Amino acid sequence: MESSDLRSAGLKVTLPRLKILEMLESHPARHMSAEDIYRKLMDSEEDIGLATVYRVLTQFEAAGLVKRHHFEGGHAVFELERGPHHDHMVNLDTGEVVEFVSEEIEKLQKQIAEKHGFTVEDHSLVLYVRPKGGKKKP
Amino acid sequence: MESSDLRSAGLKVTLPRLKILEMLESHPARHMSAEDIYRKLMDSEEDIGLATVYRVLTQFEAAGLVKRHHFEGGHAVFELERGPHHDHMVNLDTGEVVEFVSEEIEKLQKQIAEKHGFTVEDHSLVLYVRPKGGKKKP
DNA sequence: CTCTATGCAAATATTTTGCACACAT
DNA sequence: ATGTGTGCAAAATATTTGCATAGAG
């Protein structure tokens, strides 16, 4: 049961929060917009407002349960902060999101920031990719 | 004269386009939002609508004259596509944007994408940083 | 002259907020 | 009981579009 996640984040255990966590957990692509979540909730006959979805996601983000990404397109997508850090690759043809890790890149980032007198608080790395040798319809 | 830039991009040389190019060239920080540009134009007594600023920036982006970035904050910032590729470091305390290049990171990105059967069309790397040893007011 | 570009206002899209009521503890 | 959480509608923010007119080639 995920109620513990909420409690340990200092959030009261409420139905909307549980349902939203559930949506994020059960969604295969793992990256959903507020609208995506809202619509899935409507489909499940849940009576939860879009405003609540935004409020809850913002709280989750503040609590470190969720990460907000700004891939291209005017809207944000949210992802559960389970497991270790990773970056993303977005397939431009399908919108599919692939996760990857590179210790080497992480290390280089730290080195570069330090060379400039900074420390890295956070970073965002997104590769926009296309299938190799992928031809357009000729 | 930058009219040539416009012409070679297949865009008619109009006053709004020239003025907007000028703004982007003359702004020291090099990263401006549509609103920033609009306000600077108003300050210069230019009579150019915000809608035109957006339209022109979008055309510039399509023409490869300008790059659109989604750093944090709900709005996009635009940067002239002059010079070689580079990535960005955002100072979280001041908002200052520092540019950097890392051939090594670029190479690793390509390798990683290839390992997954993709080729990199574009990428976005932003480090969110703070001054080293920077203390908050105690 | 002809067709594209622009200004303005209205329309969209996304996210946030005010307020009265509902719910967790 | 008490204070936080929620739904709804309205506001705020960011960007796009329709349309009549102005301007480039």
Side-chain angles (χ1 to χ4, degrees):
Chain A
M1 181 99 297
E2 321 85 331
S3 335
S4 44
D5 292 332
L6 292 177
R7 243 184 287 270
S8 55
L11 295 170
K12 278 186 185 168
V13 178
T14 66
L15 211 135
R17 285 173 182 160
L18 282 173
K19 287 295 173 193
I20 291 171
L21 252 192
E22 222 171 82
M23 285 294 135
L24 284 164
E25 275 169 341
S26 68
H27 191 65
R30 306 202 342 100
H31 299 82
M32 309 176 79
S33 69
E35 277 278 336
D36 289 341
I37 294 174
Y38 177 65
R39 267 196 294 270
K40 282 199 93 178
L41 289 169
M42 300 306 273
D43 292 351
S44 310
E45 310 281 300
E46 300 295 341
D47 189 20
I48 297 178
L50 179 56
T52 299
V53 174
Y54 275 105
R55 265 186 297 231
V56 168
L57 287 172
T58 302
Q59 295 157 352
F60 283 6
E61 186 190 17
L65 286 174
V66 141
K67 184 109 177 97
R68 184 192 302 249
H69 297 285
H70 293 279
F71 301 155
E72 86 281 47
H75 58 296
V77 299
F78 299 83
E79 167 193 30
L80 268 189
E81 271 270 0
R82 289 288 163 73
H85 167 76
H86 55 260
D87 293 305
H88 300 87
M89 218 177 295
V90 180
N91 182 334
L92 291 168
D93 288 349
T94 65
E96 171 204 14
V97 178
V98 179
E99 302 174 356
F100 69 89
V101 219
S102 167
E103 278 310 324
E104 304 178 74
I105 288 182
E106 308 280 320
K107 197 177 303 175
L108 286 167
Q109 289 176 359
K110 266 179 212 137
Q111 287 172 9
I112 291 164
E114 268 175 27
K115 205 170 304 175
H116 290 260
F118 293 112
T119 53
V120 179
E121 290 285 318
D122 194 5
H123 73 260
S124 146
L125 170 57
V126 186
L127 308 183
Y128 298 98
V129 303
R130 273 188 224 285
K132 193 146 179 194
K135 290 273 182 303
K136 293 287 137 52
K137 286 185 185 175
Chain B
M1 181 100 295
E2 318 86 332
S3 333
S4 44
D5 292 333
L6 292 177
R7 243 184 287 270
S8 55
L11 295 170
K12 277 186 187 170
V13 178
T14 66
L15 211 135
R17 286 174 181 159
L18 280 173
K19 288 296 173 191
I20 291 172
L21 251 192
E22 224 171 81
M23 286 295 135
L24 284 164
E25 276 170 341
S26 68
H27 192 65
R30 306 202 342 101
H31 299 82
M32 309 174 79
S33 69
E35 277 279 336
D36 290 340
I37 294 175
Y38 176 66
R39 269 196 293 270
K40 283 199 93 180
L41 289 169
M42 300 306 271
D43 292 351
S44 310
E45 311 282 300
E46 299 296 339
D47 188 21
I48 297 178
L50 179 56
T52 299
V53 175
Y54 275 106
R55 266 186 295 230
V56 167
L57 287 171
T58 303
Q59 295 157 352
F60 283 6
E61 187 191 16
L65 285 175
V66 142
K67 185 108 176 96
R68 185 192 302 249
H69 296 285
H70 293 278
F71 301 154
E72 86 280 48
H75 59 297
V77 297
F78 299 83
E79 167 193 30
L80 267 191
E81 272 270 0
R82 291 287 164 75
H85 167 76
H86 55 260
D87 292 306
H88 298 88
M89 219 177 292
V90 180
N91 182 335
L92 291 168
D93 288 348
T94 65
E96 171 204 14
V97 178
V98 179
E99 302 174 356
F100 69 89
V101 219
S102 168
E103 278 310 322
E104 303 177 75
I105 289 182
E106 308 281 321
K107 197 177 303 175
L108 287 166
Q109 290 178 358
K110 265 180 213 138
Q111 287 173 9
I112 290 164
E114 267 174 31
K115 206 171 303 174
H116 290 259
F118 293 112
T119 53
V120 179
E121 291 284 319
D122 194 5
H123 73 259
S124 145
L125 170 57
V126 185
L127 307 182
Y128 298 98
V129 303
R130 271 188 227 284
K132 195 149 179 190
K135 290 271 181 302
K136 292 288 138 53
K137 287 185 182 174

